[in-house]
Amino acid sequence: MKFGYFDDERSEYVITTPRTPLPWINYLGSEDLFALCSNTAGGYSFYRDARLRRITRYRYNNSPLDSDGFHVYIRDGDTVWNPGWQPVQTEPDFYRCRHGLGYTVIEGKKNGVAVRQELFVPKGDNCLLMRVRVSNEGADEKALKVFPYVEFCLWDAMDDSSNFQRNFSTGEVEIDGAAIYHKTEYRERRNHYAVFWADRQPDGFDTSREAFMGVYGGPARPEAVFSGGCTGSVAHGWQPVAAQQFNLTLAPGAAEELIFGLGYIENPQDEKWEALGVINKTRAKAMMARYADGAAFDAALRTLSEHWKGLLSSYRASTGDEKLDRMVNVWNQYQCMVTFNMSRSASYFESGMGRGMGFRDSCQDLLGFVHMIPERARERILDIAATQFPDGSAYHQYQPLTKKGNLDVGSGFNDDPLWLIAGTCAYIAETGDFGILDELVPFDNDESLAEPLLEHLRRSFNYTRTHLGPHGLPLTGRADWNDCLNLNCFSEHPGESFQITGPSEGPVAESVFIAGMFVKYGSVWARLCRALGREEEAADAERSVEKMTAVTLDAGWDGEWFRRAYDAFGHVVGGKECEEGQIFIEPQGMCVMAGIGKEDGRAELALKSVRERLDTEYGIVLQQPPYRRYHLELGEISSYPPGYKENAGIFCHNNPWIVCAEAELGHGDRAFEVYRRTCPAYLEDISEIHRTEPYVYSQMVAGKDAPTFGEAKNSWLTGTAAWTFVSVSQAILGIKPELEGLRIDPCVPSDLKSFTVTRRWRGAVYVITVSDPEGRQKGVRELIVDGERLEGNVIPARPEGSVVKVTAVLG
Ligand code: BGC
């Protein structure tokens, strides 16, 4: 069942009922101020850090899930309704929500009144803008009351949701004409405030939640809206809000537009006050003046749309499959940008209060956005590298505000170092900027320990090859990519963190997955050394890679697939002898991507085992059979009920590894089949089962062992976005930026006879047409670049500004 449709022309997903299976959201903002906005105008907003600078509230653990947001109440006689249906839930006569690139438009109609609510965050400014157009489409004059409403968070979201004994006494506001200023704690150590404003004087306002909602009222039944109107309350402590009332009288056919803003302002210390206790509003007023009318609003919206057009123009495919095109050209890339902005911090599944930026997560996210914003990727790499320890290992996460590593989830995740090589080399492949390797970057954020970035990569590589276990495989440390396989943890007490309990190092537990990574990214490291003229270092790296390949094919091979690990007792994890957890997806994907076993058929066999043992109609499950009891020696993975998360859920992040692996072996049909099964646009028809947004990837889909097989969770903030983009743009459609040039190496389904990709790369534009007349799926038979035949399939970079015409024939 569908709950909307794609409008490809406008790059929008159009939702036609407010009763989506879950709130279907969008992200507004692309710089510092962000808001999440659901299809019913629920959501929350923050400045840069979702925990420490929360502007508006969200109620956690709440049901329904979508409380608080950017709601507008309409009172029309005795009828109270919202254009987005929530929170009053009066049945609208018409409803539509358009989620577009950085904006959302919600339209509702009731009893002849049409309301359109448009929301976005303009480029270059720290505010959320909202335009509400109210029109009378009926035959009689309408006397309406319109109430916009937001509820402020007292800045630190964690404290706001727990420390009531203090917070109920600190809230402060100021009211100045059409603006309501939220200035809690501004009197002391904060130099920032929020402001909610309207473009005209309201007929009433409230700033105390209790006054607007009623002590026992709530968003579904605000007392002020249902009874006499706003009360002019001034919040002292308790819960400050911004509510306003506008009385509109509309003749038949008449319409009015109101523009609102929710801004965040910082003042320098010596410019905080206008008078004792009165905040300096100069910057806020300048902000309001910038959006004083509909023309300014429209202009800002146009700028935003140009911004997105520019970003998405780096990779455009035309394949004849509309679902594929819309995912590749719009939604997958859009989601990659959201992961750039949010990492794993704020979604409807991430509270914005916990996780900072992950070392491995951020390096992988980079693979999906580096082509759109290479200069920001550069900054990101340097930030991440600065949190690396001198021995090459890393803090597992760092704070976006301070850019410092933190030990909240510890360190010693032994895959982390190698992801830095992956991210940095992807950046250099994209840009040709080898100069980044000369940048001086601190270790552990200590400037006195700064070394060129190249040295950071070297230490990443060396860390792995010097931390080997009894079989010669890399030690796993706290965990590798699979955070839930905690082989050195042994947690027996409820509430202990699986990530930081137990020793960070164990001398025995080994990871075949990291071995695969070492072969894959160690080879990339060797190529980098060679490109830099460091022949000896390259050869040395290659020797280590060869050795690791041999060890993987020995201790890492189970007969029909790659093993997963060895636990702290040296027992196999992910092998035939295991009662549960016999085969895992991760090492099959990573090892085959690395080319291990390609020559002797073992790679083929491993992927065959994946197909036979892990495939389901909704994607490939992470492992089989699921753990049905808690395994002390394996940790969190066995804490999930069968079929969920890492315990045999369909973990969407590593499905694209299989896509890449299948493409590596030339299986275009199978690669595409795996791609399609988890791709949201192809799942739109089963939205009642899948439940999350059909325009973005989710982290997980319940596996076949779960009672809710097919149900997705944790949409938006997942490494799935980056990896599926890599898999479809580089492995399937086959346009691969490499250190040496742009490799054209598609591996397509046999019924895709031709397609075109327009790729911006290193300042030039490549228009690449690929045909596969005989359905061979892989192998470039002929490559013509600007009319000339090229040997091989790697195009050396052309001068900036050129438009390069490329034709490739497979066969
Ligand atoms: C985490 C990743 C991890 C993955 C698998 C995600 O939730 O963000 O860091 O690799 O789960 O456990």
Side-chain angles (χ1 to χ4, degrees):
M1 189 199 293
K2 295 211 263 184
F3 297 84
Y5 58 92
F6 287 92
D7 182 338
D8 294 327
E9 195 70 5
R10 302 160 68 127
S11 302
E12 292 175 341
Y13 192 79
V14 185
I15 301 165
T16 49
T17 166
R19 288 186 178 82
T20 44
L22 287 167
W24 283 1
I25 73 163
N26 194 12
Y27 282 83
L28 316 180
S30 44
E31 286 149 352
D32 293 325
L33 186 133
F34 295 98
L36 286 74
C37 184
S38 76
N39 57 310
T40 63
Y44 57 94
S45 53
F46 58 92
Y47 172 76
R48 289 181 65 184
D49 186 313
R51 171 170 169 183
L52 299 176
R53 290 281 197 287
R54 190 69 68 97
I55 298 172
T56 53
R57 271 199 182 137
Y58 183 74
R59 289 192 151 67
Y60 309 98
N61 268 345
N62 208 18
S63 239
L65 291 169
D66 201 18
S67 63
D68 282 331
F70 314 101
H71 295 125
V72 176
Y73 297 89
I74 311 292
R75 182 165 174 161
D76 176 7
D78 288 336
T79 307
V80 175
W81 63 286
N82 310 95
W85 179 63
Q86 285 264 62
V88 176
Q89 297 188 359
T90 300
E91 207 51 45
D93 299 332
F94 171 83
Y95 161 91
R96 180 165 62 195
C97 167
R98 294 177 169 273
H99 282 320
L101 302 174
Y103 67 88
T104 288
V105 182
I106 295 170
E107 295 162 280
K109 281 187 198 178
K110 184 77 190 168
N111 299 340
V113 176
V115 178
R116 192 179 69 207
Q117 184 183 3
E118 297 164 90
L119 302 110
F120 75 102
V121 174
K123 291 284 296 168
D125 237 339
N126 292 321
C127 58
L128 169 72
L129 296 178
M130 174 167 95
R131 176 162 63 186
V132 177
R133 180 186 163 86
V134 187
S135 37
N136 180 1
E137 296 184 346
D140 304 316
E141 184 179 271
K142 286 276 188 185
L144 305 168
K145 290 189 179 118
V146 176
F147 302 85
Y149 172 80
V150 296
E151 182 170 338
F152 293 112
C153 177
L154 306 189
W155 302 116
D156 179 338
M158 186 73 107
D159 192 68
D160 182 66
S161 54
S162 54
N163 193 7
F164 310 134
Q165 62 80 26
R166 177 174 203 268
N167 296 339
F168 282 169
S169 292
T170 56
E172 287 190 291
V173 295
E174 256 180 68
I175 297 116
D176 181 37
I180 294 172
Y181 293 85
H182 173 230
K183 59 172 188 178
T184 301
E185 291 188 348
Y186 189 79
R187 64 168 57 243
E188 31 133 337
R189 292 155 296 174
R190 293 189 186 274
N191 66 348
H192 50 87
Y193 58 75
V195 55
F196 181 85
W197 79 85
D199 66 347
R200 71 194 64 187
Q201 191 61 31
D203 296 294
F205 68 86
D206 268 309
T207 63
S208 144
R209 186 178 194 273
E210 196 172 298
F212 186 71
M213 295 292 179
V215 185
Y216 296 100
R221 218 187 145 71
E223 210 167 272
V225 178
F226 278 82
S227 57
C230 282
T231 67
S233 60
V234 179
H236 300 289
W238 297 108
Q239 314 198 48
V241 302
Q244 292 179 325
Q245 176 180 333
F246 297 86
N247 302 334
L248 306 182
T249 304
L250 295 179
E256 287 244 21
E257 277 186 6
L258 300 103
I259 295 175
F260 302 98
L262 174 65
Y264 169 89
I265 302 289
E266 276 178 8
N267 277 335
Q269 187 65 25
D270 55 355
E271 290 176 32
K272 278 179 75 167
W273 304 103
E274 205 168 286
L276 182 65
V278 182
I279 57 178
N280 179 347
K281 304 178 181 67
T282 316
R283 287 180 174 77
K285 286 184 177 160
M287 180 185 272
M288 294 175 209
R290 286 195 284 277
Y291 308 103
D293 54 30
F297 186 98
D298 286 332
L301 199 51
R302 269 197 307 277
T303 307
L304 183 71
S305 140
E306 289 306 313
H307 164 73
W308 276 107
K309 245 193 231 147
L311 288 179
L312 300 184
S313 65
S314 309
Y315 193 111
R316 284 199 79 76
S318 171
T319 66
D321 176 339
E322 62 172 16
K323 294 188 171 99
L324 180 60
D325 285 359
R326 70 168 64 113
M327 285 313 298
V328 172
N329 296 338
V330 181
W331 297 99
N332 196 171
Q333 296 194 65
Y334 184 56
Q335 187 176 0
C336 287
M337 280 305 296
V338 171
T339 64
F340 164 72
N341 288 323
M342 296 291 124
S343 186
R344 303 292 173 272
S345 79
S347 75
Y348 269 36
F349 300 88
E350 302 281 6
S351 67
M353 298 196 286
R355 309 164 77 178
M357 314 262 296
F359 192 98
R360 85 154 78 87
D361 291 345
S362 298
C363 288
Q364 288 176 90
D365 290 348
L366 208 130
L367 308 177
F369 63 71
V370 62
H371 65 293
M372 288 184 272
I373 45 166
E375 53 312 318
R376 303 296 299 275
R378 189 181 209 273
E379 255 171 62
R380 182 66 56 90
I381 290 168
L382 300 177
D383 288 347
I384 299 171
T387 68
Q388 191 177 24
F389 289 116
D391 71 351
S393 66
Y395 287 100
H396 198 43
Q397 67 171 28
Y398 69 99
Q399 284 315 114
L401 218 50
T402 61
K403 298 185 173 174
K404 292 232 159 69
N406 71 50
L407 284 174
D408 292 356
V409 286
S411 63
F413 293 76
N414 283 350
D415 62 321
D416 274 337
L418 293 171
W419 289 117
L420 185 64
I421 299 180
T424 308
C425 290
Y427 165 78
I428 300 174
E430 180 65 36
T431 58
D433 172 17
F434 285 86
I436 191 175
L437 298 168
D438 301 328
E439 291 282 347
L440 281 181
V441 184
F443 281 100
D444 197 5
N445 295 105
D446 180 345
E447 290 292 345
S448 72
L449 301 177
E451 293 280 351
L453 180 64
L454 182 69
E455 179 59 23
H456 284 254
L457 303 195
R458 181 177 294 124
R459 291 194 197 176
S460 286
F461 180 75
N462 284 337
Y463 181 86
T464 313
R465 67 172 170 177
T466 53
H467 286 73
L468 304 178
H471 298 89
L473 290 163
L475 290 171
T476 201
R478 288 204 183 277
D480 58 28
W481 171 86
N482 188 333
D483 275 330
C484 299
L485 196 55
N486 316 115
L487 304 179
N488 294 310
C489 172
F490 295 94
S491 173
E492 286 184 286
H493 305 289
E496 274 177 356
S497 157
F498 287 103
Q499 266 74 49
I500 57 175
T501 304
S504 68
E505 288 263 325
V508 176
E510 298 168 290
S511 163
V512 178
F513 174 79
I514 302 180
M517 267 191 94
F518 182 79
V519 172
K520 179 165 166 60
Y521 296 114
S523 309
V524 173
W525 164 247
R527 273 165 74 181
L528 182 67
C529 292
R530 185 152 293 127
L532 295 170
R534 298 172 169 274
E535 189 52 45
E536 224 167 273
E537 195 166 11
D540 173 51
E542 277 161 357
R543 277 191 296 275
S544 295
V545 164
E546 264 166 43
K547 206 159 148 203
M548 188 66 78
T549 306
V551 172
T552 309
L553 284 170
D554 178 15
W557 182 250
D558 200 62
E560 286 176 76
W561 57 80
F562 292 99
R563 291 175 171 158
R564 178 64 182 83
Y566 285 88
D567 70 17
F569 307 103
H571 299 142
V572 171
V573 179
K576 282 207 191 73
E577 68 212 76
C578 307
E579 204 182 310
E580 303 180 324
Q582 284 178 350
I583 171 171
F584 283 66
I585 187 175
E586 309 95 287
Q588 322 312 324
M590 192 50 81
C591 293
V592 178
M593 277 200 281
I596 306 175
K598 205 173 151 182
E599 278 147 33
D600 65 5
R602 282 192 257 189
E604 288 279 356
L605 204 51
L607 294 186
K608 182 164 167 269
S609 299
V610 167
R611 201 158 52 236
E612 287 171 2
R613 292 166 187 264
L614 299 178
D615 248 17
T616 79
E617 61 182 303
Y618 300 129
I620 303 169
V621 296
L622 193 142
Q623 53 100 350
Q624 278 292 291
Y627 297 108
R628 298 202 177 267
R629 60 178 180 84
Y630 178 57
H631 289 251
L632 189 61
E633 77 289 4
L634 301 178
E636 186 169 359
I637 190 165
S638 59
S639 73
Y640 292 110
Y644 294 101
K645 299 276 284 179
E646 284 84 344
N647 190 14
I650 298 158
F651 219 83
C652 302
H653 186 133
N654 45 35
N655 274 247
W657 294 347
I658 299 298
V659 173
C660 295
E662 293 284 3
E664 184 68 31
L665 302 189
H667 305 153
D669 285 321
R670 169 70 178 160
F672 191 71
E673 176 188 71
V674 176
Y675 169 78
R676 193 178 37 77
R677 284 195 184 163
T678 55
C679 182
Y682 294 89
L683 302 172
E684 195 190 6
D685 286 335
I686 55 148
S687 288
E688 79 286 7
I689 300 171
H690 190 70
R691 298 191 73 209
T692 52
E693 297 90 334
Y695 41 93
V696 290
Y697 284 92
S698 295
Q699 181 211 51
M700 189 222 44
V701 175
K704 59 185 178 182
D705 305 288
T708 57
F709 180 37
E711 181 190 52
K713 287 201 189 104
N714 303 2
S715 55
W716 284 96
L717 304 185
T718 159
T720 312
W723 270 106
T724 40
F725 190 68
V726 169
S727 75
V728 69
S729 64
Q730 298 188 24
I732 295 178
L733 299 177
I735 316 302
K736 295 184 189 164
E738 293 189 351
L739 298 175
E740 302 81 4
L742 191 63
R743 185 181 296 275
I744 310 298
D745 188 20
C747 182
V748 291
S750 42
D751 57 2
L752 184 59
K753 295 286 185 259
S754 82
F755 65 92
T756 303
V757 169
T758 305
R759 178 65 158 91
R760 199 167 55 218
W761 183 66
R762 298 195 195 175
V765 174
Y766 297 76
V767 184
I768 306 155
T769 304
V770 177
S771 56
D772 183 21
E774 288 124 41
R776 292 282 171 82
Q777 305 180 41
K778 183 153 168 142
V780 172
R781 182 176 73 201
E782 182 185 270
L783 188 65
I784 312 259
V785 181
D786 277 343
E788 281 179 34
R789 207 186 165 116
L790 200 91
E791 278 308 306
N793 61 347
V794 180
I795 309 173
R798 295 290 153 124
E800 285 193 24
S802 36
V803 176
V804 187
K805 195 163 171 283
V806 181
T807 23
V809 183
L810 307 189

